[in-house]
Amino acid sequence: MRRALTSFVIFGFSAAAGFVALAAIVGFLGFALWPFDVFNHLQPLWLIGGGVSLVFAPLILRRQPVRGFVIALSATGFLAATAIVLPEYLAGLQQTEPELEASETQRLMTFNIYAKNDDLNALALSVLEVDPDIVVFQEFWRWHRAGLEERLRKNYPFALHCQGGRRSFVALYAKMPFAPQPGNNCVDSLAADQRTSIISVNFPATEQHDSFSIVTTHLDWPIPTDRQHGQMNALIDAIQQVDGPLLVAGDFNSTPYSYALKNLVKRAGLKRIAKGIPTWPAPPTYPFKMPAWLQLDQIMSRGEIIATPAKKGPSGGSDHYPLYTDFTVTTE
């Protein structure tokens, strides 16, 4: 019995260590075959798992013929995961806070409020505490709209709402007027059948700020890969129709570790503002408390935009933490 249990532990550990290492390696190779990129979204897990495997493999597998192979494979996977994860956090640490003129500064907030979140007071307080000039919402269902509208309308008299398929329920609220522009794909009707929506609006120049644009969306999960890949192409097309300074924000359901997001940033000519700042999961929407470890929400810029590194706001009962940044437009 003891021998059988020992064999089971050795086999189970070796199989788990091998899976973790191969997942990290396959993700790393996603640049060559983009469906492999799905594994990159979980590279923090593979990194931790690889470290655990390297620590315990010499002990659990001592005098086992597979010991050297498992250690070598785990080391390779650990290095692959490190090569993906570490640069993201180093980039976050290297961000600096620019000096902005308060009178010319705007604040943008992106917030996936979670479809099942019924604490409308907490959601409204989260927004009002951050006090953005512009806030973009994802999973902004009709009943959220009905309850939050009355709580936010006084501070945010200008709004645009989208409805339709599962990821189409997005909205934009602002303190100042704006106008939809080419690339905007937002239908405010339950009869709409598009899977996702894209809000693309322009804020005209005023005495306080120059003209700039905001684009927001909510993309599907990275599986199936073809679906999200197509949605990213549609987003890039919408961004390319926008002239002048631009900020892009929303829930991309894609982490900074993925080649998919990196390619989107490169092809659209964007600069990421939120780096090394996990936004999911936020308690208390899960059966046990865990720290946020994936960054699914993004804020990016293009053109003459100077922005502060993104910060997290209060979750308000959502499973995502909101992100916000202060920015100025420098077209002169």
Side-chain angles (χ1 to χ4, degrees), residues 19-256:
F19 173 80
V20 167
L22 288 174
I25 295 168
V26 167
F28 180 82
L29 296 175
F31 64 87
L33 191 61
W34 59 265
F36 286 0
D37 188 39
V38 169
F39 290 93
N40 275 327
H41 297 291
L42 299 179
Q43 284 289 11
L45 284 184
W46 313 142
L47 179 63
I48 295 171
V52 171
S53 298
L54 284 174
V55 170
F56 288 100
L59 302 175
I60 296 176
L61 301 179
R62 64 180 183 275
R63 295 192 297 273
Q64 298 298 319
V66 297
R67 179 175 180 268
F69 174 76
V70 171
I71 291 175
L73 185 61
S74 296
T76 304
F78 181 79
L79 290 175
T82 300
I84 296 293
V85 174
L86 185 59
E88 172 66 15
Y89 283 92
L90 290 178
L93 292 174
Q94 292 171 358
Q95 285 184 296
T96 58
E97 197 84 17
E99 294 185 6
L100 302 179
E101 186 66 40
S103 61
E104 300 175 356
T105 299
Q106 311 296 318
R107 176 168 289 180
L108 170 66
M109 179 182 188
T110 179
F111 196 1
N112 181 326
I113 61 176
Y114 185 44
K116 297 180 181 180
N117 187 1
D118 59 1
D119 194 343
L120 299 180
N121 284 328
L123 287 171
L125 288 173
S126 295
V127 175
L128 296 175
E129 180 178 329
V130 174
D131 191 27
D133 298 283
I134 307 159
V135 55
V136 293
F137 291 109
Q138 303 87 45
E139 298 194 25
F140 195 79
W141 294 84
R142 294 187 72 192
W143 61 276
H144 288 120
R145 175 177 174 179
L148 287 175
E149 188 92 356
E150 61 186 44
R151 293 169 169 85
L152 297 177
R153 178 60 74 179
K154 180 180 178 181
N155 295 68
Y156 301 93
F158 305 98
L160 181 62
H161 308 90
C162 313
Q163 303 182 67
R166 182 175 178 82
R167 307 292 177 188
S168 287
F169 290 82
V170 297
L172 184 150
Y173 282 71
K175 295 180 178 180
M176 55 280 203
F178 58 82
Q181 62 185 348
N184 187 65
N185 182 20
C186 174
V187 180
D188 190 7
S189 170
L190 285 177
D193 60 358
Q194 78 272 24
R195 176 80 180 183
T196 60
S197 298
I198 297 175
I199 290 178
S200 180
V201 299
N202 177 260
F203 289 82
T206 67
E207 293 182 358
Q208 286 74 37
H209 62 79
D210 292 315
S211 174
F212 65 92
S213 296
I214 299 289
V215 171
T216 186
T217 191
H218 184 192
L219 301 183
D220 267 304
W221 291 350
I223 298 176
T225 53
D226 287 339
R227 184 172 63 190
Q228 192 189 74
H229 190 68
Q231 292 170 359
M232 285 187 170
N233 285 335
L235 177 60
I236 291 170
D237 180 67
I239 291 171
Q240 290 175 341
Q241 296 181 55
V242 177
D243 295 323
L246 166 70
L247 287 123
V248 180
D251 179 359
F252 286 72
N253 271 318
S254 186
T255 67

Side-chain angles (χ1 to χ4, degrees), residues 88 109-114 136-139 216-219 248-256 261 272-282 292-300 310-313 318-324:
E88 172 66 15
M109 179 182 188
T110 179
F111 196 1
N112 181 326
I113 61 176
Y114 185 44
V136 293
F137 291 109
Q138 303 87 45
E139 298 194 25
T216 186
T217 191
H218 184 192
L219 301 183
V248 180
D251 179 359
F252 286 72
N253 271 318
S254 186
T255 67
L261 187 67
R272 289 183 50 231
I273 295 171
K275 297 180 180 180
I277 182 167
T279 58
W280 181 93
W293 59 282
L294 285 181
Q295 184 182 332
L296 303 179
D297 307 272
Q298 311 292 338
I299 302 178
M300 298 171 275
K311 299 178 178 64
K312 284 195 292 191
S318 174
D319 61 341
H320 288 243
Y321 287 101
L323 293 177
Y324 66 93

